[in-house]
Amino acid sequence: MLELRLVQGSLLKKVLEAIKDLVTDANFDCASTGFSLQAMDSSHVALVALLLRSEGFEHFRCDRNISMGMNLTSMAKMLKCAGNDDIITIKADDGGDSVTFMFESPSKFLLSLFVCPAANEIAVVVIVVARCAEE
């Protein structure tokens, strides 16, 4: 089981926006140390290496090492739906072929859920409007 909760969601948005033009498809690797990506550009000139350490997440759970192939252009488009202040949660089951991205707005009543299935299927988008807990 993989569960990552990033309070500063804009960080992931900015990183993906910066590398999506260099690398089209890449494998994200998750281990107990963090969430990482290492890939070459199509002309084999540039190497993109990214490591988001487990300590940088509010909640980090990676029961076993897992590798997830993602299209970075599609992922960047999906992340544009998240606000800069949104909390981003990424979930994946062991042995599953889909990844769930959840965007939570800390100030609004909005929760967006994106399920990214295998490459040959259509993504499911669910937008749930719910009242956030008031303090």
Side-chain angles (χ1 to χ4, degrees):
M1 178 73 163
L2 167 71
E3 289 183 359
L4 311 174
R5 183 175 168 89
L6 186 61
V7 175
Q8 194 177 6
S10 61
L11 172 71
L12 187 59
K13 288 177 64 170
K14 289 175 184 174
V15 167
L16 259 295
E17 191 61 33
I19 65 174
K20 71 175 175 61
D21 293 328
L22 281 174
V23 178
T24 312
D25 297 302
N27 289 329
F28 282 93
D29 298 313
C30 186
S32 59
T33 56
F35 193 61
S36 64
L37 172 149
Q38 188 169 356
M40 294 287 292
D41 71 333
S42 61
S43 61
H44 296 285
V45 173
L47 172 69
V48 174
L50 167 69
L51 172 61
L52 300 175
R53 297 189 190 278
S54 58
E55 297 86 21
F57 292 88
E58 180 185 65
H59 173 72
F60 186 92
R61 177 182 172 191
C62 184
D63 296 341
R64 65 175 185 85
N65 292 356
I66 187 170
S67 183
M68 300 178 295
M70 302 285 267
N71 180 288
L72 300 187
T73 305
S74 298
M75 189 174 172
K77 285 179 185 177
M78 181 186 53
L79 287 173
K80 284 184 180 180
C81 296
N84 288 331
D85 296 329
D86 283 4
I87 299 165
I88 298 177
T89 303
I90 303 171
K91 293 182 181 183
D93 291 326
D94 289 340
D97 60 354
S98 65
V99 180
T100 302
F101 291 82
M102 189 167 55
F103 307 148
E104 300 171 67
S105 174
S107 60
K108 298 178 184 172
F109 303 136
L110 186 61
L111 173 77
S112 302
L113 179 71
F114 295 84
V115 180
C116 299
N120 60 349
E121 298 176 17
I122 299 172
V124 176
V125 178
V126 178
I127 298 177
V128 179
V129 178
R131 185 176 177 95
C132 297
E134 295 181 21
E135 296 183 28

